[in-house]
PDB file of all heavy atoms in Angstrom:
ATOM      1  N   LYS A 181      23.098  62.918-132.237  1.00  0.00           N
ATOM      2  CA  LYS A 181      21.924  63.269-131.432  1.00  0.00           C
ATOM      3  C   LYS A 181      21.167  61.967-131.186  1.00  0.00           C
ATOM      4  O   LYS A 181      20.766  61.289-132.136  1.00  0.00           O
ATOM      5  CB  LYS A 181      21.033  64.264-132.173  1.00  0.00           C
ATOM      6  CG  LYS A 181      19.797  64.642-131.341  1.00  0.00           C
ATOM      7  CD  LYS A 181      18.889  65.652-132.013  1.00  0.00           C
ATOM      8  CE  LYS A 181      17.746  66.004-131.039  1.00  0.00           C
ATOM      9  NZ  LYS A 181      16.787  66.943-131.581  1.00  0.00           N
ATOM     10  N   PRO A 182      20.960  61.577-129.926  1.00  0.00           N
ATOM     11  CA  PRO A 182      20.378  60.264-129.646  1.00  0.00           C
ATOM     12  C   PRO A 182      18.861  60.244-129.749  1.00  0.00           C
ATOM     13  O   PRO A 182      18.208  61.288-129.891  1.00  0.00           O
ATOM     14  CB  PRO A 182      20.810  60.022-128.202  1.00  0.00           C
ATOM     15  CG  PRO A 182      20.830  61.383-127.591  1.00  0.00           C
ATOM     16  CD  PRO A 182      21.285  62.312-128.694  1.00  0.00           C
ATOM     17  N   THR A 183      18.329  59.053-129.639  1.00  0.00           N
ATOM     18  CA  THR A 183      16.877  58.879-129.501  1.00  0.00           C
ATOM     19  C   THR A 183      16.372  59.722-128.327  1.00  0.00           C
ATOM     20  O   THR A 183      17.040  59.821-127.284  1.00  0.00           O
ATOM     21  CB  THR A 183      16.548  57.399-129.238  1.00  0.00           C
ATOM     22  OG1 THR A 183      16.789  56.660-130.423  1.00  0.00           O
ATOM     23  CG2 THR A 183      15.092  57.212-128.824  1.00  0.00           C
ATOM     24  N   TYR A 184      15.198  60.302-128.506  1.00  0.00           N
ATOM     25  CA  TYR A 184      14.599  61.140-127.459  1.00  0.00           C
ATOM     26  C   TYR A 184      14.503  60.367-126.142  1.00  0.00           C
ATOM     27  O   TYR A 184      13.908  59.283-126.106  1.00  0.00           O
ATOM     28  CB  TYR A 184      13.204  61.570-127.905  1.00  0.00           C
ATOM     29  CG  TYR A 184      12.537  62.601-127.025  1.00  0.00           C
ATOM     30  CD1 TYR A 184      12.834  63.946-127.166  1.00  0.00           C
ATOM     31  CD2 TYR A 184      11.616  62.214-126.067  1.00  0.00           C
ATOM     32  CE1 TYR A 184      12.221  64.892-126.378  1.00  0.00           C
ATOM     33  CE2 TYR A 184      10.991  63.164-125.262  1.00  0.00           C
ATOM     34  CZ  TYR A 184      11.301  64.505-125.424  1.00  0.00           C
ATOM     35  OH  TYR A 184      10.693  65.441-124.631  1.00  0.00           O
ATOM     36  N   GLY A 185      15.127  60.885-125.111  1.00  0.00           N
ATOM     37  CA  GLY A 185      15.067  60.257-123.792  1.00  0.00           C
ATOM     38  C   GLY A 185      16.265  59.392-123.452  1.00  0.00           C
ATOM     39  O   GLY A 185      16.386  58.930-122.321  1.00  0.00           O
ATOM     40  N   ALA A 186      17.179  59.178-124.407  1.00  0.00           N
ATOM     41  CA  ALA A 186      18.321  58.295-124.136  1.00  0.00           C
ATOM     42  C   ALA A 186      19.342  58.942-123.198  1.00  0.00           C
ATOM     43  O   ALA A 186      20.120  58.245-122.549  1.00  0.00           O
ATOM     44  CB  ALA A 186      18.993  57.880-125.437  1.00  0.00           C
ATOM     45  N   VAL A 187      19.370  60.261-123.171  1.00  0.00           N
ATOM     46  CA  VAL A 187      20.278  60.989-122.278  1.00  0.00           C
ATOM     47  C   VAL A 187      19.435  61.927-121.415  1.00  0.00           C
ATOM     48  O   VAL A 187      18.589  62.662-121.939  1.00  0.00           O
ATOM     49  CB  VAL A 187      21.322  61.794-123.079  1.00  0.00           C
ATOM     50  CG1 VAL A 187      22.123  62.714-122.170  1.00  0.00           C
ATOM     51  CG2 VAL A 187      22.252  60.856-123.843  1.00  0.00           C
ATOM     52  N   SER A 188      19.672  61.898-120.125  1.00  0.00           N
ATOM     53  CA  SER A 188      18.917  62.768-119.213  1.00  0.00           C
ATOM     54  C   SER A 188      19.177  64.237-119.527  1.00  0.00           C
ATOM     55  O   SER A 188      20.310  64.645-119.761  1.00  0.00           O
ATOM     56  CB  SER A 188      19.318  62.492-117.764  1.00  0.00           C
ATOM     57  OG  SER A 188      18.799  63.500-116.918  1.00  0.00           O
ATOM     58  N   ARG A 189      18.123  65.019-119.458  1.00  0.00           N
ATOM     59  CA  ARG A 189      18.266  66.462-119.671  1.00  0.00           C
ATOM     60  C   ARG A 189      18.208  67.220-118.350  1.00  0.00           C
ATOM     61  O   ARG A 189      18.066  68.460-118.364  1.00  0.00           O
ATOM     62  CB  ARG A 189      17.178  66.956-120.615  1.00  0.00           C
ATOM     63  CG  ARG A 189      17.282  66.328-121.990  1.00  0.00           C
ATOM     64  CD  ARG A 189      16.198  66.832-122.897  1.00  0.00           C
ATOM     65  NE  ARG A 189      14.872  66.532-122.362  1.00  0.00           N
ATOM     66  CZ  ARG A 189      13.736  66.910-122.933  1.00  0.00           C
ATOM     67  NH1 ARG A 189      13.764  67.598-124.044  1.00  0.00           N
ATOM     68  NH2 ARG A 189      12.576  66.593-122.398  1.00  0.00           N
ATOM     69  N   PHE A 190      18.331  66.518-117.251  1.00  0.00           N
ATOM     70  CA  PHE A 190      18.318  67.229-115.966  1.00  0.00           C
ATOM     71  C   PHE A 190      19.458  68.258-115.967  1.00  0.00           C
ATOM     72  O   PHE A 190      20.616  67.926-116.213  1.00  0.00           O
ATOM     73  CB  PHE A 190      18.507  66.249-114.802  1.00  0.00           C
ATOM     74  CG  PHE A 190      18.596  66.955-113.469  1.00  0.00           C
ATOM     75  CD1 PHE A 190      17.464  67.470-112.868  1.00  0.00           C
ATOM     76  CD2 PHE A 190      19.820  67.135-112.842  1.00  0.00           C
ATOM     77  CE1 PHE A 190      17.550  68.151-111.656  1.00  0.00           C
ATOM     78  CE2 PHE A 190      19.911  67.813-111.634  1.00  0.00           C
ATOM     79  CZ  PHE A 190      18.768  68.319-111.040  1.00  0.00           C
ATOM     80  N   GLY A 191      19.112  69.502-115.720  1.00  0.00           N
ATOM     81  CA  GLY A 191      20.117  70.569-115.699  1.00  0.00           C
ATOM     82  C   GLY A 191      20.328  71.239-117.046  1.00  0.00           C
ATOM     83  O   GLY A 191      21.055  72.223-117.132  1.00  0.00           O
ATOM     84  N   LEU A 192      19.705  70.716-118.096  1.00  0.00           N
ATOM     85  CA  LEU A 192      19.755  71.401-119.397  1.00  0.00           C
ATOM     86  C   LEU A 192      18.671  72.469-119.403  1.00  0.00           C
ATOM     87  O   LEU A 192      17.503  72.177-119.110  1.00  0.00           O
ATOM     88  CB  LEU A 192      19.509  70.416-120.546  1.00  0.00           C
ATOM     89  CG  LEU A 192      19.255  71.040-121.925  1.00  0.00           C
ATOM     90  CD1 LEU A 192      20.500  71.755-122.434  1.00  0.00           C
ATOM     91  CD2 LEU A 192      18.796  69.992-122.931  1.00  0.00           C
ATOM     92  N   ILE A 193      19.043  73.688-119.740  1.00  0.00           N
ATOM     93  CA  ILE A 193      18.055  74.770-119.817  1.00  0.00           C
ATOM     94  C   ILE A 193      17.551  74.789-121.250  1.00  0.00           C
ATOM     95  O   ILE A 193      18.053  75.508-122.098  1.00  0.00           O
ATOM     96  CB  ILE A 193      18.683  76.119-119.402  1.00  0.00           C
ATOM     97  CG1 ILE A 193      19.304  75.995-118.005  1.00  0.00           C
ATOM     98  CG2 ILE A 193      17.636  77.242-119.435  1.00  0.00           C
ATOM     99  CD1 ILE A 193      20.195  77.150-117.620  1.00  0.00           C
ATOM    100  N   TYR A 194      16.579  73.934-121.518  1.00  0.00           N
ATOM    101  CA  TYR A 194      16.115  73.820-122.902  1.00  0.00           C
ATOM    102  C   TYR A 194      14.996  74.814-123.179  1.00  0.00           C
ATOM    103  O   TYR A 194      14.333  75.292-122.264  1.00  0.00           O
ATOM    104  CB  TYR A 194      15.671  72.396-123.236  1.00  0.00           C
ATOM    105  CG  TYR A 194      14.711  71.745-122.271  1.00  0.00           C
ATOM    106  CD1 TYR A 194      13.379  72.109-122.239  1.00  0.00           C
ATOM    107  CD2 TYR A 194      15.146  70.738-121.405  1.00  0.00           C
ATOM    108  CE1 TYR A 194      12.493  71.495-121.374  1.00  0.00           C
ATOM    109  CE2 TYR A 194      14.263  70.110-120.532  1.00  0.00           C
ATOM    110  CZ  TYR A 194      12.947  70.486-120.521  1.00  0.00           C
ATOM    111  OH  TYR A 194      12.069  69.883-119.667  1.00  0.00           O
TER     112      TYR A 194
END
Side-chain angles (χ1 to χ4, degrees):
Chain A
K181 180 179 184 181
T183 289
Y184 189 82
V187 171
S188 168
R189 297 180 300 177
F190 176 75
L192 168 66
I193 305 168
Y194 50 75

